[in-house]
Amino acid sequence: MIKFNIRMDIVDIKNVFGYEKDFKDIEIKKDKIRNYEHKKIKFKSSITSKYEENNFVYGYIFYPKKDYNKKNILTIHPVHEVVPFFEYTVAFYFLKYGYRVSYITLPFHRERMPKDAKSKELFLSNDESEYFFSMRQSVVDLRHFIQFLNDEEDDKEIYSIGFSLGAILLNLLMGVDNRIVKGVSLMGAGNVIRLMGEGIYGLPSRIYYRKQGLNYDTYRNELKNFLNYVNTVKNKGELIESDTIWYLVDPLTYASFNNPRNVLFINGLFDLVMIKKAVYDLWERLGKPKIIWIPSTHYTTPLYFPYILNQSKKFFENKI
């Protein structure tokens, strides 16, 4: 059995995203936001770091006023989001149609942010083990929270919308967990090494690695190795040994798992962060699901939220 030692944590390659089934140190508080019932849940994460603030999952649920349609939309927020703007936007759109809307705070964000630290330093780190830990903990916590929705809220129909990093995590989550009925990948992609090697968001990382003596040829060789790994996983139908741990937290690795998937892609024609090559890398390996291109950059996406949420609702209701 292949295992990796990450921060004193033992990772079983056969159970990378396993989680505990109980909810340790759970706290539940109820209140109202804009006259909607709202619940806050806090429990211990199944994997912990040296930062105590990050060792708890914070989950939130909005409840419609009436006519609950038995569907819960799990929203997954973008990186560095300091307030839950995306989650509230989704909630206040779908609540009036009878949906519940839920979300968690991702590791090293908001309540989970250690003092005197920045999410970029701890989540999208250039350190391979730190990046692996953050992505892995995100998926583990999302799976654990889905378990709460299943067991404690009796929510069996879980839908999801992920935005940017949240879309990457959604595609990774849907590759390892079949409890998501349908997902909307908003401004997402796979093949993170291509995003870092060719997209504008990866420019600081490219500068960092160049100082370490790496160059474009190094990147192209690593990209080739990763795609070979993805193809081998697909052919074998299971994860295989790798000395490169970030392979295990890229959605492309799991693109051949849990198929066919009910996922809608919504991407920007002028997005230089989630570049088209990386979008197509994942889209093609998922069997070319429906994709909508909007005339947007990555950072002007909120201007299109009314259209995006309308299309998402139609997708969830089998109208597109």
Side-chain angles (χ1 to χ4, degrees):
M1 183 175 292
I2 309 301
K3 296 185 177 182
F4 301 98
N5 289 292
I6 307 295
R7 288 184 176 184
M8 305 300 293
D9 196 8
I10 304 299
V11 181
D12 178 0
I13 197 173
K14 301 297 184 182
N15 194 29
V16 177
F17 301 107
Y19 62 94
E20 298 177 3
K21 297 302 186 289
D22 58 349
F23 307 97
K24 294 180 179 177
D25 302 327
I26 191 168
E27 298 176 13
I28 299 176
K29 295 181 180 180
K30 298 180 180 180
D31 59 8
K32 280 193 174 184
I33 298 179
R34 294 192 190 178
N35 291 321
Y36 287 104
E37 298 291 335
H38 178 258
K39 184 182 290 184
K40 177 180 179 180
I41 305 100
K42 175 185 177 183
F43 55 87
K44 197 82 171 181
S45 176
S46 293
I47 44 179
T48 56
S49 68
K50 64 182 180 181
Y51 302 103
E52 184 62 21
E53 298 95 330
N54 186 56
N55 292 338
F56 287 87
V57 179
Y58 292 85
Y60 302 86
I61 307 171
F62 281 96
Y63 299 85
K65 294 177 182 178
K66 60 180 181 178
D67 300 327
Y68 173 46
N69 64 10
K70 304 300 181 182
K71 298 177 181 179
N72 191 316
I73 299 176
L74 174 64
T75 64
I76 311 176
H77 67 75
V79 72
H80 312 324
E81 189 189 54
V82 296
V83 294
F85 171 74
F86 173 64
E87 297 92 309
Y88 276 40
T89 300
V90 174
F92 295 133
Y93 178 85
F94 280 97
L95 284 166
K96 62 181 180 284
Y97 296 109
Y99 290 82
R100 289 180 182 174
V101 178
S102 57
Y103 67 94
I104 71 167
T105 298
L106 294 176
F108 302 118
H109 286 76
R110 298 196 292 255
E111 310 96 318
R112 305 180 68 170
M113 175 58 61
K115 296 177 181 178
D116 303 319
K118 298 179 181 178
S119 60
K120 187 173 184 179
E121 295 173 350
L122 296 173
F123 198 105
L124 294 181
S125 170
N126 289 320
D127 182 282
E128 183 181 28
S129 63
E130 290 183 348
Y131 173 74
F132 172 83
F133 179 89
S134 297
M135 293 292 284
R136 177 188 177 224
Q137 188 183 37
S138 296
V139 174
V140 168
D141 290 349
L142 285 164
R143 297 190 71 209
H144 204 171
F145 185 59
I146 291 173
Q147 194 69 50
F148 180 88
L149 297 177
N150 289 168
D151 295 349
E152 305 301 324
E153 299 290 323
D154 197 31
D155 287 333
K156 306 303 183 185
E157 284 193 62
I158 308 297
Y159 296 72
S160 188
I161 304 176
F163 177 24
S164 190
L165 168 68
I168 292 175
L169 288 169
L170 169 63
N171 285 299
L172 180 54
L173 176 64
M174 291 185 76
V176 300
D177 198 313
N178 60 11
R179 291 176 294 178
I180 304 294
V181 178
K182 287 188 173 186
V184 175
S185 172
L186 173 58
M187 297 299 189
N191 202 348
V192 174
I193 188 175
R194 191 187 293 281
L195 296 176
M196 293 296 102
E198 300 176 34
I200 61 169
Y201 195 86
L203 182 58
S205 293
R206 294 199 291 276
I207 294 173
Y208 169 82
Y209 288 122
R210 190 172 294 121
K211 291 179 180 179
Q212 309 304 310
L214 305 180
N215 56 31
Y216 187 73
D217 289 338
T218 308
Y219 157 68
R220 295 299 301 178
N221 186 60
E222 186 56 46
L223 176 63
K224 179 181 178 181
N225 290 340
F226 173 54
L227 293 177
N228 286 339
Y229 175 82
V230 170
N231 290 333
T232 303
V233 168
K234 178 182 179 180
N235 292 335
K236 289 184 175 292
E238 61 180 7
L239 292 181
I240 58 174
E241 177 183 357
S242 171
D243 293 328
T244 310
I245 56 174
W246 64 259
Y247 287 8
L248 301 179
V249 290
D250 193 292
L252 216 61
T253 298
Y254 302 89
S256 59
F257 298 172
N258 284 347
N259 280 329
R261 292 188 214 167
N262 256 323
V263 60
L264 169 68
F265 278 48
I266 302 179
N267 285 90
L269 286 169
F270 311 111
D271 190 345
L272 300 180
V273 176
M274 299 292 175
I275 57 175
K276 289 186 178 68
K277 284 183 180 179
V279 174
Y280 285 131
D281 281 340
L282 181 62
W283 178 75
E284 290 176 352
R285 283 173 172 78
L286 288 178
K288 300 181 179 180
K290 183 173 180 59
I291 185 168
I292 297 173
W293 291 99
I294 58 176
S296 177
T297 70
H298 198 78
Y299 299 107
T300 57
T301 305
L303 297 175
Y304 296 87
F305 276 172
Y307 173 77
I308 288 165
L309 295 176
N310 177 263
Q311 293 300 302
S312 298
K313 180 175 178 292
K314 288 181 178 179
F315 176 65
F316 292 153
E317 296 175 354
N318 300 314
K319 295 178 180 178
I320 60 171

